[in-house]
Amino acid sequence: NVGYFVPYFHLVAHGRQAGFSQYQAAFVMSAAGMSDILGRVVSGWFSDLRLLRLIHVLSLWVMLAGIFIILLPVSSLNGSYPALMVTSLLYGFCSGALTSVVFAVVPNIVGAERTMGALGLLMLIESVAGLLGTPLSGYLKDVTG
């Protein structure tokens, strides 16, 4: 979860640094947010079909979100706005999709009687990681360029 919020926080600045206008960079962020919402709905619907176990659905979304977060900086290397937009849309979709499944998976892992404590611990871990991720990524950017 350290990297989960990094694109949402730095995407506009990244787009500006890649040479896109302020409007274009902000639109990439807005599109990723809209895609996130769509991902939550589609993931919930797909999970309800029960074609795969929920843990496998979650693993799929986490893996895809990780791939797209790695591709985000690469997508704008040649100054291609469509490449950055598509990668941002895909990351937004996958990050939203994993969010809607994670809370359904916890009871399957720990059992119904431990769900509340497990969700509390999960939220603690996710919050600390999310809090540290954005400043760490900014620090890495400052150090490495």
Side-chain angles (χ1 to χ4, degrees):
N1 211 47
V2 171
Y4 182 83
F5 296 107
V6 172
Y8 293 115
F9 196 83
H10 293 297
L11 194 54
V12 175
H14 175 70
R16 294 288 293 145
Q17 184 180 4
F20 306 123
S21 72
Q22 188 171 355
Y23 174 78
Q24 287 176 314
F27 186 72
V28 169
M29 178 65 230
S30 299
M34 289 184 288
S35 181
D36 181 294
I37 293 169
L38 180 64
R40 291 170 192 248
V41 174
V42 169
S43 178
W45 169 79
F46 181 74
S47 297
D48 284 344
L49 295 177
R50 303 282 186 210
L51 299 174
L52 298 170
R53 292 181 53 208
L54 283 178
I55 191 74
H56 295 141
V57 173
L58 177 62
S59 298
L60 173 71
W61 293 130
V62 169
M63 180 187 67
L64 289 173
I67 289 169
F68 294 127
I69 201 170
I70 290 169
L71 292 177
L72 270 172
V74 176
S75 67
S76 60
L77 283 179
N78 63 352
S80 173
Y81 184 72
L84 179 63
M85 178 62 82
V86 167
T87 308
S88 298
L89 287 170
L90 291 170
Y91 173 73
F93 185 89
C94 292
S95 67
L98 74 89
T99 301
S100 66
V101 178
V102 71
F103 294 105
V105 170
V106 170
N108 292 343
I109 295 172
V110 300
E113 65 281 349
R114 295 188 188 155
T115 298
M116 295 307 290
L119 286 175
L121 182 60
L122 175 67
M123 293 307 300
L124 173 71
I125 293 168
E126 285 184 344
S127 297
V128 170
L131 182 65
L132 294 175
T134 304
L136 285 174
S137 67
Y139 174 75
L140 283 173
K141 170 72 172 144
D142 291 343
V143 170
T144 63

